[in-house]
Amino acid sequence: MAIENVSLPFKLYCLTVMTLVAATYIIALRYTRVTSADTYFSTTAVCITEVIKLLISVGILTKESGSLGNLCSSLRENIVGSPKEMLKLSIPSIVYAVQNNMAFLALSNLDAAVYQVTYQLKIPCTALCTVLMLHRTLSKLQWLSVFMLCGGVTLVQWKPAEATKVQVEQNPWIGFAAVSIAVLCSGFAGVYFEKVLKSSNTSLWVRNIQMYLSGIVVTLAGVFLSDAAGIMEKGFFHGYTLYVWLVIFLGSVGGLYTSVVVKYTDNIMKGFSAAAAIILSTVASVLLFGLQITVTFVLGTALVCISIYMYGLPRQDTTRINIETTDKPSKERLLNV
Ligand code: NCC
């Protein structure tokens, strides 16, 4: 298993787009859920997002294959002729389907800032899944840096409550329960997908197509299990405004960029690099638009920087065994991002 090499500017570009899209996605999603009492069925938006990701992945695979003939034989070999692989990819697709639906439920019940802050628990959860599922080891210092990163990102993203006028009833307990499920799903599915992706030479776009195909089936099941009656009465696309399409667009682009980031780095690096991208984009906003920096931002930035430095320090302990995924020292790996 090796982290493939692409240029540093390309990795930074993907991380920055992923982080900016994620921030916009959460705010836009929240807006669409609370500004109208008779809103759209969120399960349909999750399903359409899978369809769009599938179409884009097929488009990219067509380009990668060079011709329609090559595309067809690749699809025949990897989809129709690989039921075992399809089954393997159905696991993260089910977990991501739950996670993506939970994000809608959580953002229907919680302020976007509260959601973003609570969602940072995915950082230690992802680290735990990496250790358990990829048999990587983290030194005590690296574990400490993971929790410091979690605290740092929380502070960096700390914002006053949103000003959006909420037109629906909210239950914060449902919101927190949904975030907790989303956190667990994000950690597990992210590391599972990384394991499958990096354990063979199969193209990322083939893996994505395998996952999105079962994702469509699973999310469609979700649509009918939870909203069948409403959809029969009002229609599948009931309540779809331009903003809802924007959410679907951002969800698709964000998901695809996430897959590229995981291919060229890894899930723990994704957390560290996303934190760095948040800080850099805020600093850019200060320089370009005169945005005011808060004390919590400065504190959070300090914590994030220290945690990145600590994560990259060479290991002192002797408990390092079984590093299956890479033989590079962690500092080198961190610079690889
Ligand atoms: O939580 P997170 O990602 O790990 O969720 C991963 C998202 O990417 C999609 N995905 C994953 C792998 C793959 N091969 N294809 C995919 O489409 C999954 O379906 C899932 O939606 C993050 O690290 O914070 C991040 O957060 C999400 C999103 O903000 C949260 O999940 C909302 O609760 C971002 N997604 C978007 O912005 C659309 C992601 O970019 C980063």
Side-chain angles (χ1 to χ4, degrees), residues 46-60 79 85-86 88-94 96-97 100 193 204-220 251-260:
V46 175
C47 180
I48 299 290
T49 305
E50 295 300 302
V51 175
I52 294 178
K53 287 189 292 190
L54 174 73
L55 294 177
I56 297 177
S57 300
V58 172
I60 297 176
I79 311 292
E85 295 301 299
M86 291 295 293
K88 222 194 252 177
L89 269 296
S90 68
I91 296 173
S93 77
I94 294 171
Y96 272 139
N100 291 332
F193 183 78
L204 167 68
W205 303 105
V206 167
R207 288 304 189 198
N208 275 348
I209 292 170
Q210 290 172 333
M211 187 163 81
Y212 301 149
L213 273 173
S214 48
I216 292 173
V217 176
V218 176
T219 52
L220 211 51
S252 312
V253 174
L256 292 169
Y257 270 95
T258 304
S259 70
V260 177

Side-chain angles (χ1 to χ4, degrees), residues 247-268:
V247 168
I248 292 174
F249 169 76
L250 292 172
S252 312
V253 174
L256 292 169
Y257 270 95
T258 304
S259 70
V260 177
V261 165
V262 168
K263 177 177 163 85
Y264 294 120
T265 66
D266 64 47
N267 276 286
I268 298 185

Side-chain angles (χ1 to χ4, degrees), residues 27 55 85-86 112-113 124 158 173 179-180 215 226 280 282 311 323:
I27 292 165
L55 294 177
E85 295 301 299
M86 291 295 293
W158 199 265
W173 294 111
V179 183
S180 312
S226 72
L280 286 181
T282 311
Y311 189 82
I323 298 189

